[in-house]
Amino acid sequence: MELTVVGCGYVGLVTAACFADLGNRVIGVDVDAVRVQALKKGRIPIYEPGLEEIVRRNIKDGRLTFQTSLADAVRASRIIFIAVGTPPAADGDVDLTAVRMVAAEIGKSLNGDKIIVNKSTVPVGMADAVGDMAQKSARGKKHKVRVVSNPEFLREGTAVTDFMHPDRVVVGSSDKRAAEAVADLYRPLDAHVIVTDVRSAEMIKYASNAFLATKISFINEIASLCEKLGADVAAVANGMGKDKRIGREFLYAGVGFGGSCLPKDVAALRRAVEKAGLTPRLLAAVLEVNESQRRSVVEKLSDGLGKLAGKTVAVLGLAFKPSTDDLREAVSQTVLPQLIRAGAKVRAYDPAANEGSKRNHPQAVYCKSALDAAKGAHAAVVLTEWNEFVELDLVKLRGVMAGQKPVLVDGRNVYDPDKAKAAGFTYRGVGRG
Ligand code: NAD
């Protein structure tokens, strides 16, 4: 099958590469000419384990190509996936500029009937709007455009595995044949394909992300109470998680959720509730709890250090989660400027995201390793649970730091509090007594 995937970012590139690996001929299209040039040479612009190998293999075998011309790609394909970014707009709504541009361009380039697949996360009703936009810009051409919603649930860091072994594939359309054509693409995966009407498919994506965010904010609120009452939230979450109705996943207390999806998708859903004339009580609370968790990082550092001015703080972990270089809505990106404004000297390290963070916050010193970052620091704070931080030798870490009893803010609860204290730290986890 000839496919086009528009947008070669975290989702589009994985989609293009994996569908090519499943035997389709795929054209990846992106407006970013530099990105396309690099991709043509098999160099991927993001950190995503396992992806580069698949991209290279499929370029070599002639199934995967990249280009900037959407018009040519549309003419060569029957199915066109839209996987461009849908960033947050200032009012919490979704910025749909890129999706609209692509829809209009597809319409202009029609040379036959096409199926447009919305893989970008877009508000309920957008599939209908994309169809209208494409049809309108087709200016009287007789070709038919059918739109399918096929939201993506992959996680950065495990994107390839998630794509190839999905918990479910959601396909929504008002056109049965279009839905079947898209479902067929996933047949080699032996996946559980859920076919729904188009608006339910769009809602499934938002509702799923909002539910995951709710679990995180719920356990974070419990964590705050545990801190006051002397309970350990990790033990509480274990005890809760054994109940199959609850489950352990996403019940990890920490410094809050970030990334390109949860914050923006919950905000967009809250906005959708408001626009529908309803009151988003729960969603507003989920975001509010998350904000207070993010603020707690600097509060805990100030508690431990007193004045931050003149103190050196090692920030371990910048990406919003391990195994990615993605800094969108990462906690680090609000903590770094707060610390710098307060007069602290920041020494930061992330295995994959140093470069990106340096562009955003050049005032911090970027280091080669956790131990390097901790050199001479009065406090260390772990914001991302990369394995190399989880496995750090705390005695060694303590050894390179300054002061009698440096502060360790364990923003992801990765250390045993007793071991951290025994290593000589003033330890502050999240929700631990
Ligand atoms: P991204 O920013 O990594 O990639 C978007 C790509 O689209 C960029 O390469 C950009 O240059 C390109 N682009 C923008 N406008 C374009 C245009 N007019 N024509 C062609 N290319 C264009 O974004 P992403 O993280 O891959 O997210 C894409 C969509 O998938 C979003 O709606 C997001 O919410 C959703 N999503 C993301 C994830 C994730 O983990 N990142 C998971 C599930 C769903």
Side-chain angles (χ1 to χ4, degrees):
M1 177 69 74
E2 297 275 355
L3 309 176
T4 283
V5 178
V6 192
C8 295
Y10 290 90
V11 166
L13 189 54
V14 172
T15 303
C18 290
F19 274 139
D21 218 40
L22 295 174
N24 303 285
R25 290 172 68 87
V26 184
I27 306 171
V29 174
D30 205 289
V31 275
D32 183 339
V34 176
R35 179 165 284 215
V36 167
Q37 276 313 315
L39 283 168
K40 280 181 172 175
K41 292 181 191 138
R43 285 203 303 270
I44 70 165
I46 52 173
Y47 177 96
E48 186 57 53
L51 182 58
E52 193 157 82
E53 191 195 323
I54 300 181
V55 168
R56 287 191 175 169
R57 182 167 65 236
N58 285 281
I59 292 176
K60 190 165 151 275
D61 293 350
R63 284 188 299 268
L64 182 59
T65 55
F66 296 98
Q67 61 189 50
T68 49
S69 168
L70 176 56
D72 288 349
V74 168
R75 285 192 277 270
S77 317
R78 192 165 74 86
I79 302 184
I80 302 132
F81 283 79
I82 301 182
V84 296
T86 49
D91 60 355
D93 220 326
V94 190
D95 179 349
L96 294 164
T97 314
V99 175
R100 290 201 176 99
M101 275 175 62
V102 172
E105 179 82 17
I106 293 172
K108 268 192 244 160
S109 316
L110 292 180
N111 61 342
D113 293 352
K114 306 283 173 186
I115 297 173
I116 302 180
V117 187
N118 272 353
K119 193 164 260 311
S120 296
T121 304
V122 287
V124 176
M126 195 59 193
D128 296 338
V130 161
D132 290 347
M133 279 182 270
Q135 213 78 66
K136 201 167 146 207
S137 62
R139 298 225 182 88
K141 281 184 199 162
K142 293 281 174 281
H143 310 305
K144 200 168 172 206
V145 170
R146 288 165 298 167
V147 184
V148 173
S149 168
N150 171 220
E152 184 50 61
F153 300 95
L154 62 76
R155 296 160 298 176
E156 289 174 23
T158 52
V160 172
T161 313
D162 289 349
F163 191 94
M164 292 299 203
H165 306 281
D167 288 344
R168 80 302 207 188
V169 171
V170 174
V171 176
S173 184
S174 54
D175 187 297
K176 202 164 165 264
R177 277 176 48 214
E180 270 168 13
V182 174
D184 267 351
L185 293 173
Y186 291 94
R187 216 160 295 283
L189 299 181
D190 203 19
H192 187 102
V193 179
I194 298 167
V195 179
T196 69
D197 64 277
V198 70
R199 289 184 179 228
S200 301
E202 292 171 322
M203 183 62 99
I204 287 169
K205 174 65 191 173
Y206 277 104
S208 300
N209 272 0
F211 188 76
L212 295 174
T214 303
K215 277 187 97 172
I216 297 173
S217 279
F218 176 85
I219 201 66
N220 278 335
E221 184 145 302
I222 295 295
S224 299
L225 190 58
C226 285
E227 284 184 14
K228 295 280 180 210
L229 303 183
D232 179 348
V233 74
V236 173
N238 271 336
M240 289 173 64
K242 290 282 182 255
D243 185 328
K244 287 195 199 71
R245 295 168 303 176
I246 297 172
R248 182 67 173 91
E249 287 199 54
F250 279 72
L251 274 191
Y252 291 90
V255 291
F257 55 79
S260 68
C261 291
L262 293 194
K264 96 169 156 72
D265 292 351
V266 180
L269 193 58
R270 177 180 61 179
R271 197 74 194 97
V273 173
E274 284 165 356
K275 280 181 170 171
L278 304 169
T279 309
R281 294 183 200 90
L282 181 60
L283 299 174
V286 167
L287 291 169
E288 213 176 286
V289 170
N290 201 48
E291 278 313 307
S292 86
Q293 286 309 111
R294 295 164 77 101
R295 279 196 303 273
S296 73
V297 177
V298 174
E299 287 163 11
K300 283 179 178 165
L301 284 167
S302 302
D303 278 355
L305 291 174
K307 264 196 177 333
L308 290 171
K311 302 279 172 29
T312 300
V313 178
V315 177
L316 308 183
L318 302 167
F320 85 92
K321 63 184 256 183
S323 299
T324 183
D325 57 352
D326 200 340
L327 287 163
R328 288 177 283 186
E329 297 285 329
V331 179
S332 70
Q333 300 303 284
T334 48
V335 166
L336 255 54
Q338 281 170 359
L339 291 174
I340 291 162
R341 269 199 307 276
K345 190 174 160 204
V346 177
R347 293 175 63 79
Y349 168 67
D350 186 280
N354 269 7
E355 284 309 312
S357 187
K358 195 188 269 181
R359 281 194 290 277
N360 297 341
H361 304 290
Q363 309 91 322
V365 176
Y366 291 88
C367 304
K368 291 192 297 292
S369 67
L371 288 181
D372 183 23
K375 251 182 226 156
H378 302 94
V381 52
V382 175
L383 296 181
T384 317
E385 64 278 33
W386 285 92
N387 268 342
E388 64 177 83
F389 301 149
V390 177
E391 279 153 26
L392 260 181
D393 180 334
L394 291 183
V395 175
K396 261 196 192 159
L397 183 73
R398 161 76 190 83
V400 298
M401 293 178 70
Q404 280 304 306
K405 227 172 180 295
V407 174
L408 178 59
V409 175
D410 182 1
R412 299 292 178 185
N413 283 350
V414 293
Y415 303 121
D416 177 334
D418 292 334
K419 284 192 184 146
K421 285 174 200 159
F425 284 105
T426 301
Y427 175 85
R428 289 293 303 272
V430 180
R432 300 178 126 178

